[in-house]
Amino acid sequence: MEKACKGWETLNADNFRDLNPGDRVLMGPGPSDVPARTLQAIAAPCIGHLDPYFLAIMNETQILLRALFQTDNELTIPVSGTGSAGMETCFVNLVEPGDEVAVCVNGVFGTRMADIVKRIGGKLIRIDAEWGTAVDPEAVRQAIKGKAPKVIAVVHAETSTGVCQPLDDLARISHDAGALFLVDAVTSLGGMPVPIDELKIDAVYSGTQKCISGPPGLSPVTFGPAAVKAMERRETPVVSWYLDLSMVRDYWGSERKYHHTAPINMIYGLREALRLIAEEGLSNRHARHRLNHRALVAGIEAMGLAMLVPEAIRLPMLNAVRIPQGVDDLTVRKALLKDYGIEIGGGLGQFAGKVWRIGLMGQSCRPKNVFLLLAALETVLSAQGYRSQPGALAAAAAVYDEAC
Ligand SMILES: *Cc1c(COP(=O)(O)O)cnc(C)c1O
């Protein structure tokens, strides 16, 4: 008689239904809506990671990634893992135990960078700025005075607050100090310019599920010449075997040496997402993000709601809106999801229960979603007894009209 496998006598396959997540409008801090073409690409046959067809797909993906990053950096690859894996890749490859590393912290993701630096034995120089504000370059200059940080790291688009960090001064300060400049572009890439070669940003990581509108699971990373040199001059091995770029690059480079099995179908998906960006044009895509952001803000403010972040440092793709007095955060978000299929994000850390985070990322960044969100929010708020001022849709429409 066949030996029973533990637990399987009681397992009834009929209890597990076919997948059917239903329709959603993803307007939170990521993931964003994934276009049908990208989902279809993922469903293409899985082939070997050394199959000549797949190797050609890898090359094309790298060409498209360099175009998106606006860089000539040879070492430009999608790391197998989400944005946080890209973050970790940058730090573990550039930092050795005992190295001084300056990290700017004005939200969740700066905090995560600081955590990683400590875990890998770096000497953290932490520069804090109030959440909801940008980091003052002068504070960085002061913090590194008399020190020799190997890396200065900052988040370009702080998704937890909606703040856009200006990079020019920080790039200059880093290079004047002889440090590598490391930038988190998880949320900015694909939605606004990330001037990598222009500012000589040495290392950048991103993620696929924000303004690139792929599913989560890959983290595009690019290393410039100085970062590659720093990697090659290391005295100690990279603390992570999986994320060690000196080995990973031998697979993505001409040697095609096996390191780990590439997530084949995810790379199909990324390539398709990048092809869609190439068809749209990068500057058109950036302009689309700015326009829909302006229309959303016009509608939000017309309703009588307030934005968290001052206009000059607002991100286009992540809009933090203050929750009005007497309105319950979770009730509103639950109603948006249940009644309209709309997902928005809640606040994090000190902004929990205080703000909503409305994403306009990649495929989700469209006029119809702006109107849908404004109308739905108005209705849901009214059910909560909050009377918003009329005219939100007209205010948004006026922004689009003016742009025509
Ligand atoms: C989402 C995000 C990350 C982390 O990405 P995961 O894909 O969730 O691991 C890092 N930095 C920023 C700015 C992000 O928005």
Side-chain angles (χ1 to χ4, degrees):
M1 214 184 98
E2 211 180 310
K3 203 170 151 223
C5 297
K6 187 164 175 271
W8 280 78
E9 313 79 20
T10 54
L11 200 62
N12 181 354
D14 295 338
N15 290 338
F16 301 89
R17 309 226 183 106
D18 288 345
L19 274 178
N20 183 16
D23 278 333
R24 297 284 190 286
V25 182
L26 298 181
M27 300 185 75
S32 57
D33 289 336
V34 179
R37 250 176 66 183
T38 302
L39 294 173
Q40 265 158 19
I42 292 167
C46 184
I47 60 177
H49 66 281
L50 293 172
D51 188 298
Y53 183 85
F54 185 67
L55 298 180
I57 293 297
M58 288 167 69
N59 289 343
E60 289 182 10
T61 304
Q62 284 185 292
I63 291 168
L64 288 162
L65 267 185
R66 287 189 196 105
L68 176 62
F69 272 128
Q70 299 275 277
T71 182
D72 298 322
N73 289 344
E74 178 70 26
L75 184 50
T76 302
I77 59 162
V79 167
S80 309
T82 65
S84 305
M87 184 189 286
E88 220 155 57
T89 298
C90 289
F91 284 104
V92 297
N93 282 277
L94 297 177
V95 177
E96 296 188 63
D99 285 342
E100 287 183 318
V101 179
V103 177
C104 302
V105 180
N106 60 343
V108 166
F109 295 103
T111 309
R112 189 173 295 180
M113 294 204 279
D115 186 6
I116 291 175
V117 168
K118 283 196 282 185
R119 282 168 189 247
I120 61 183
K123 272 197 220 142
L124 178 67
I125 305 166
R126 182 175 162 138
I127 301 121
D128 277 283
E130 206 181 314
W131 286 32
T133 71
V135 176
D136 178 6
E138 199 42 46
V140 177
R141 216 189 299 269
Q142 292 303 326
I144 63 169
K145 220 174 221 168
K147 300 188 170 153
K150 185 173 182 189
V151 175
I152 296 180
V154 73
V155 177
H156 188 201
E158 191 32 275
T159 322
S160 60
T161 62
V163 166
C164 173
Q165 175 68 43
L167 298 176
D168 307 46
D169 288 341
L170 292 178
R172 201 169 318 116
I173 290 168
S174 302
H175 295 136
D176 287 351
L180 298 166
F181 188 37
L182 164 55
V183 171
D184 173 320
V186 175
T187 283
S188 51
L189 190 72
M192 61 187 287
V194 185
I196 296 179
D197 284 8
E198 197 184 313
L199 296 183
K200 296 199 164 41
I201 305 174
D202 298 291
V204 180
Y205 60 90
S206 188
T208 43
Q209 78 274 26
K210 313 233 170 149
C211 291
I212 298 174
S213 279
L218 291 174
S219 174
V221 167
T222 187
F223 271 34
V228 171
K229 206 170 277 171
M231 255 173 66
E232 286 164 355
R233 284 200 191 128
R234 291 180 64 100
E235 288 171 1
T236 57
V238 170
V239 294
S240 164
W241 182 90
Y242 192 69
L243 301 176
D244 184 342
L245 285 182
S246 70
M247 296 191 288
V248 175
R249 72 196 284 205
D250 287 342
Y251 171 57
W252 282 88
S254 50
E255 289 188 39
R256 301 300 185 188
K257 212 164 123 191
Y258 165 71
H259 176 256
H260 65 270
T261 310
I264 309 289
N265 296 58
M266 294 305 293
I267 290 169
Y268 292 163
L270 173 59
R271 176 178 169 279
E272 196 62 25
L274 295 173
R275 230 158 62 96
L276 283 162
I277 296 175
E279 285 167 21
E280 179 176 13
L282 198 51
S283 54
N284 290 340
R285 193 176 178 91
H286 295 159
R288 171 163 66 83
H289 280 80
R290 275 197 310 276
L291 178 62
N292 289 312
H293 159 73
R294 281 176 43 224
L296 177 72
V297 172
I300 289 289
E301 290 182 339
M303 285 170 72
L305 301 177
M307 301 293 292
L308 173 74
V309 175
E311 191 173 350
I313 53 166
R314 254 178 224 160
L315 288 171
M317 68 288 285
L318 196 287
N319 299 273
V321 176
R322 290 185 190 276
I323 300 173
Q325 283 276 314
V327 170
D328 182 59
D329 171 24
L330 211 55
T331 310
V332 169
R333 282 191 287 132
K334 276 187 179 158
L336 286 174
L337 188 63
K338 184 166 157 287
D339 300 340
Y340 301 93
I342 302 173
E343 176 182 283
I344 66 168
L348 294 177
Q350 65 193 77
F351 292 124
K354 303 238 163 58
V355 302
W356 291 308
R357 291 181 301 147
I358 303 173
L360 287 171
M361 298 181 178
Q363 178 77 357
S364 299
C365 180
R366 299 199 263 176
K368 74 169 190 180
N369 287 353
V370 169
F371 286 119
L372 175 67
L373 186 274
L374 290 172
L377 188 58
E378 214 166 50
T379 312
V380 169
L381 284 176
S382 141
Q384 283 248 321
Y386 177 86
R387 291 268 160 258
S388 44
Q389 290 162 37
L393 298 185
V399 171
Y400 292 120
D401 283 347
E402 190 191 305
C404 277

